Amino acid sequence: MLAAPSRAQEAPGPPSALHAALDALALTGDDLAPPVHLLPADRWRLPAVEGLLRHPLDAVAAVRGLASRFLVAAPKLAEQVRVGAEALGVPFAPPAAPPEATLEDLLMDARRRLGRSTSAREAARLRRAVAALPPPVRLGTARILAAQREAARMLEAAFGGLTVGEGGELLAWARGLLRGEGDPDDPVHPRALALAARIDRAALYAAAWLVADAVDAALPDLVRGGRDPAVPRAPGAILLDEPTPWGRVVVAGAGPNVHRQDALLLIDLGGDDEYLNNAGGTAGRLGAIAVAIDLGGNDRYHTTRDMVQGAGVLGIGILVDVAGDDSYEAGNLAQGAGVFGVGILADLGGNDRYAARAVAQGAGAFGLGILTEAGGDDRYRAQSRAQGFGFVAGLGALVETAGNDVYVLEGGPADPRQAGHTQSFGQGMGMGFRPLASGGIGLLADAAGDDVYRADYFAQGAGYWFALGGLVDEAGDDRYVATRYAQGAGIHLAVGVLADAAGDDRYEAHGVAQGVGHDWAVGILADGAGDDKYIAAALAQGAGSGNGVGILADVAGHNSLGAGAPTVQGCGVPSRGYPSIGLLLTNDASAPGLPLIEGRATRRCGSVGITLAAPGSPAGLPWDPAPFPSAGPAPPAPPPRPPSPWPPRADRVVKLLRQAADMAESPEGEARRRAAREALNADPEALPVLLAALEREDPGIVAASLEALVAMGGAAAQPVARLLDRADARVRRRAAWVLKARAHPEVEARLIEAAGADGDPLVRAYALEALRPWAGGAAARPVLLAALKREADWIVRLGAARGLEGAGGADALDALAAALGDTHFSVRAAAQDALAAAGEAARPFLARQAAPAQAEGGLLEAIARRHARALLERLEAKGK
């Protein structure tokens, strides 16, 4: 981790912009991590994403490293499967290749399995059909078919815990969920997640690797065989069409063909073809494997069907098009989509066009979805959840190696925040199922070309709910257009990164964009070189809100930054009593749109926000591609929690609570919420419902309940305090939060007990803060002092520092002065607030802390002296 050097420790020469910014804010690199107690603990949590949340400054290099691995692997399909599985933390041992077998033997064995005739006459017919194929085509086809047969056996084990009916249930659930349907309280979701957990993903990825490796090995033979002058080039020539238990095996000639029937293995040797079939898609059949390979021609893959064109849905689907200017059109779950499976679409040349609806063009959910393009000027169009989209336990990657490309997401589900706008969820978007399941990894990697990216809400390097989204563009003059939650945006315990290495680029967004972290999340936009232009309105260009970290780093070229509100360009907006961090790092103090920067830095807004001009490339962030964090073993899954029942005859109150939780952003919606909250506060029958709501998953319901319980005041104090005895830490945290927000003398003793003995650090922190009214008393004071001095967890020390505000007395002021050098900036900030509130009584303790050290100290000692001197200067100014 990077850490800011103290001024006494700085190496010769100018510090990096990042080090200078952190030093100016009295921060260290570790201060940028969210509190680990807030991280989800579900079975789908990705330790690699947790690693980047704990060390956010490493996110750019890690995302570029993952993109580099995919780009280097292209077009080797097996290696891309390996990269994706490792990123998800599901390593596997590549299986041995199946024993060599001739195509004739494989097809005869398939006939036997089907109960078809294997007479001498039938064997002779089959022998003649196979012999008519060019030898390299026979060899390549046999290699792939043998791998498919072995992989089918492996998939029986991978899906062995599911019946066909349960597979259909999973598919129906996923299709509805990925369309944006579903109430988090619905019991169908825990059941579906439990079914998904029964899939052996290591076995699934091993089977996919086996098939992909066979395709990689067979392609040179197939290409060579397709050039054989003896290959028929007449329209509609079919050289081989044989049944197997898993589907048809078809080899078509090099002329124009129209493929209407689905196939297990379809090899077309060339020509301008039309595909109306599955084209390497599993069509949602449990354990299915489909491979389609087209060796040349300007082809049309046109259908309105779902689960086609390199779609692995409950199985493995691969489509490879070797050359030609091709067009692809499909419905949902298509064009490199892996949902409970592995789906790959690889187009190895030509200027291509892609159109699909949702969950497409490199989309993964509980699996791997990869679209690889090896060259040409390509056009991508989809509605939503596409172009590098990773959902729960999934990785979706769109990998472009060359060309001037255009990526468009439009027409997705309407976003309730703003009429006329839609939810894109793509172009490097990782997303979880809040609050039930952590998210996956979405990646869009483009190696070269002048590219255009267009989307609306949630796109272009964005993460939502403990997920990772990354957009990496290595070269070219690019244009990025989006509305909100985009262009390096981390939302709700997630990481979002947009990294553009070179070129004169243009970034346009409305807000919550261009390097923004919201709600304990991390968002970074890093631009390595070029004359760039940034346009945004609010909460953008290096902004943090809801205790997030947002960084915009552009330290090369002549840049222009335009914005229409104060919450931009190095703005950390405090929230929930914690700071947020916003950093804008640029090398050009005279960039249009920036305030005058005198010297090195200017604070823009909030408690921790800074605009800074300094050299460095790129602003001191680790930039060169670095290894993606090792995912390691997944954490143990907590037991499922069924929704707690509402109290009897509570329908009317529950309806009010749901209205109070409705987050529709409109004047009418706000009026409904306000009326519902007022009705809840006045209803004597609401208390049991509000207490039951603290046991539920829906964050809107919980938030509305917390607010209503605080508003109830003393009437709710003792019932809420009794919840501190619950085994569920979530419920105890929520109860302690209510008591922190509104103190009541009758619960002091219970708060003291929780502050000293509860097993959850966040409960102890809230309880300590709730003790503020009694901090001067003989019972609460020792507990607060002990926690501030000796607790290992910073969030508990923070609660103690806040609880001691206003306590007075030498022991409390001395402990608070020492906390000015705490290892975490939030504790230091709380100590400053408490000492400032103490006024003149704190002067002798501040003077002792501000005195020059007898020996050279480290960074924290220097920070403590700096804070103490600043507080003394404030006292002096106040006295004047």
Side-chain angles (χ1 to χ4, degrees):
M1 281 299 299
L2 292 178
S6 68
R7 290 191 170 92
Q9 296 171 318
E10 286 176 1
S16 74
L18 179 62
H19 279 179
L22 294 179
D23 192 37
L25 294 168
L27 298 175
T28 67
D30 288 328
D31 285 335
L32 304 184
V36 295
H37 318 296
L38 300 182
L39 302 182
D42 56 80
R43 72 168 74 240
W44 308 108
R45 189 176 88 197
L46 297 181
V49 176
E50 179 177 338
L52 294 182
L53 279 170
R54 291 177 184 270
H55 306 288
L57 301 184
D58 294 338
V60 173
V63 170
R64 287 190 75 207
L66 182 60
S68 176
R69 287 193 65 190
F70 271 108
L71 288 166
V72 169
K76 293 297 184 182
L77 309 186
E79 185 58 25
Q80 292 197 330
V81 170
R82 185 201 302 269
V83 171
E86 290 178 353
L88 290 174
V90 189
F92 62 89
E100 290 188 7
T102 67
L103 182 56
E104 180 184 343
D105 289 343
L106 289 167
L107 292 174
M108 285 298 291
D109 177 68
R111 292 189 69 83
R112 281 190 291 271
R113 290 171 182 247
L114 282 171
R116 299 285 184 94
S117 171
T118 56
S119 65
R121 181 178 178 181
E122 185 61 34
R125 182 201 64 78
L126 183 60
R127 189 179 308 113
R128 289 193 300 272
V130 171
L133 299 176
V137 174
R138 289 201 302 269
L139 178 63
T141 305
R143 188 191 299 269
I144 297 172
L145 183 57
Q148 288 179 289
R149 185 174 67 172
E150 177 64 16
R153 184 189 63 79
M154 297 170 66
L155 288 187
E156 289 180 2
F159 293 114
L162 298 177
T163 65
V164 172
E166 288 170 336
E169 184 181 346
L170 263 183
L171 177 57
W173 171 76
R175 295 180 78 166
L177 190 65
L178 293 169
R179 286 195 301 266
E181 302 171 0
D183 176 355
D185 269 348
D186 193 327
V188 71
H189 302 310
R191 169 170 168 76
L193 290 168
L195 289 176
R198 285 157 54 184
I199 299 173
D200 184 342
R201 290 186 291 147
L204 169 65
Y205 298 153
W209 184 94
L210 185 68
V211 178
D213 184 62
V215 172
D216 289 337
L219 272 178
D221 290 327
L222 296 175
V223 170
R224 187 167 65 254
R227 294 171 182 159
D228 191 315
V231 171
R233 282 164 170 76
I238 300 297
L239 310 185
L240 183 75
D241 187 347
E242 294 293 327
T244 78
W246 310 281
R248 296 163 53 248
V249 176
V250 179
V251 179
N257 294 289
V258 178
H259 298 289
R260 302 179 186 276
Q261 291 184 297
D262 289 357
L264 164 74
L265 174 58
L266 169 57
I267 298 173
D268 189 294
L269 300 180
D272 298 339
D273 306 306
E274 186 173 7
Y275 291 83
L276 308 175
N277 66 345
N278 62 326
T282 62
R285 291 180 293 114
L286 182 65
I289 303 173
V291 175
I293 300 174
D294 188 286
L295 300 181
N298 301 324
D299 306 307
R300 296 179 71 245
Y301 300 83
H302 280 214
T303 179
T304 59
R305 291 175 58 183
D306 296 346
M307 299 176 286
V308 297
Q309 299 171 14
V313 181
L314 291 166
I316 300 166
I318 297 176
L319 168 60
V320 179
D321 190 295
V322 174
D325 297 338
D326 308 308
S327 64
Y328 301 84
E329 183 177 347
N332 302 291
L333 298 95
Q335 298 175 3
V339 179
F340 311 112
V342 176
I344 302 174
L345 193 165
D347 190 296
L348 308 186
N351 303 317
D352 306 309
R353 302 292 182 270
Y354 297 86
R357 293 175 186 161
V359 194
Q361 299 171 7
F366 304 93
L368 298 176
I370 302 170
L371 194 162
T372 294
E373 258 284 351
D377 298 338
D378 305 309
R379 302 290 183 270
Y380 301 88
R381 185 179 297 275
Q383 292 178 350
S384 180
R385 295 169 171 82
Q387 299 172 11
F389 169 74
F391 192 59
V392 179
L395 181 144
L398 198 169
V399 183
E400 259 282 359
T401 60
N404 302 321
D405 308 306
V406 176
Y407 306 88
V408 177
L409 291 173
E410 61 182 6
D415 191 278
R417 298 165 187 81
Q418 189 174 359
H421 287 267
T422 60
Q423 295 173 338
S424 296
F425 297 130
Q427 296 178 4
M429 171 83 197
M431 182 179 179
F433 182 26
R434 182 183 181 191
L436 300 180
S438 302
I441 300 170
L443 176 70
L444 198 167
D446 190 297
D450 300 336
D451 307 308
V452 176
Y453 303 86
R454 292 184 179 276
D456 204 341
Y457 275 61
F458 298 103
Q460 298 173 7
Y464 178 93
W465 194 248
F466 204 71
L468 170 65
L471 195 168
V472 176
D473 190 299
E474 292 291 346
D477 300 337
D478 308 307
R479 185 178 183 187
Y480 303 86
V481 180
T483 305
R484 283 188 173 93
Y485 307 109
Q487 298 173 8
I491 312 296
H492 304 307
L493 293 162
V495 180
V497 173
L498 195 167
D500 189 298
D504 299 336
D505 308 308
R506 181 183 176 96
Y507 303 88
E508 303 172 39
H510 177 80
V512 202
Q514 297 177 5
V516 64
H518 171 68
D519 189 25
W520 297 115
V522 176
I524 302 176
L525 194 166
D527 191 295
D531 299 338
D532 308 307
K533 185 171 184 178
Y534 300 84
I535 300 172
L539 204 64
Q541 298 174 5
S545 69
N547 322 118
V549 177
I551 301 174
L552 168 55
D554 188 326
V555 292
H558 299 291
N559 303 311
S560 171
L561 294 100
T567 55
V568 295
Q569 298 170 355
C571 176
V573 182
S575 177
R576 298 176 288 210
Y578 300 86
S580 305
I581 298 171
L583 301 174
L584 169 61
L585 310 174
T586 175
N587 69 324
D588 187 0
S590 62
L594 284 181
L596 176 64
I597 299 178
E598 298 178 0
R600 297 184 63 81
T602 295
R603 287 182 184 271
R604 289 285 289 167
C605 75
S607 60
V608 186
I610 196 166
T611 302
L612 189 138
S617 182
L621 287 169
W623 174 253
D624 291 335
F628 194 71
S630 174
R641 296 187 179 107
S644 56
W646 295 114
R649 298 182 299 279
D651 292 350
R652 179 180 53 81
V653 179
V654 172
K655 183 177 180 181
L656 283 175
L657 182 58
R658 292 192 181 279
Q659 290 175 352
D662 182 10
M663 297 308 293
E665 293 192 6
S666 66
E668 296 81 8
E670 177 58 34
R672 286 195 301 271
R673 284 194 294 275
R674 185 167 53 250
R677 290 166 182 168
E678 291 173 355
L680 283 173
N681 294 342
D683 192 333
E685 298 180 2
L687 182 58
V689 175
L690 298 176
L691 295 173
L694 297 188
E695 302 182 44
R696 302 184 79 81
E697 298 284 355
D698 187 321
I701 291 289
V702 172
S705 302
L706 292 171
E707 182 179 330
L709 287 167
V710 170
M712 280 188 174
Q718 289 188 344
V720 170
R722 284 194 287 271
L723 297 180
L724 293 173
D725 296 324
R726 293 292 183 88
D728 189 340
R730 299 173 312 156
V731 176
R732 300 201 309 277
R733 290 176 184 177
R734 293 164 182 173
W737 187 91
V738 171
L739 298 174
K740 170 180 74 73
R742 183 70 67 87
H744 303 281
E746 62 269 26
V747 299
E748 177 190 358
R750 186 64 190 88
L751 286 170
I752 291 173
E753 181 183 353
D758 196 280
D760 185 82
L762 202 55
V763 175
R764 295 206 304 278
Y766 288 159
L768 287 162
E769 187 173 348
L771 289 172
R772 181 185 300 177
W774 309 286
R781 192 184 193 90
V783 177
L784 289 162
L785 288 171
L788 182 59
K789 293 176 181 179
R790 291 190 286 275
E791 271 286 350
D793 200 299
W794 72 264
I795 205 163
V796 181
R797 300 196 304 275
L798 173 63
R802 289 176 169 169
L804 284 168
E805 183 173 331
D811 52 355
L813 295 173
D814 186 55
L816 289 167
L820 295 176
D822 193 273
T823 55
H824 200 277
F825 77 95
S826 292
V827 182
R828 300 195 294 267
Q832 290 179 71
D833 292 341
L835 290 164
E840 285 294 330
R843 183 184 292 275
F845 304 96
L846 292 171
R848 186 166 64 246
Q849 191 68 268
Q854 298 298 317
E856 182 177 343
L859 171 63
L860 293 175
E861 288 83 353
I863 288 174
R865 286 195 299 275
R866 191 182 313 162
H867 286 321
R869 290 168 183 168
L871 286 168
L872 287 171
E873 289 172 2
R874 287 168 60 182
L875 284 174
E876 294 293 339
K878 188 176 181 180
K880 295 178 180 178

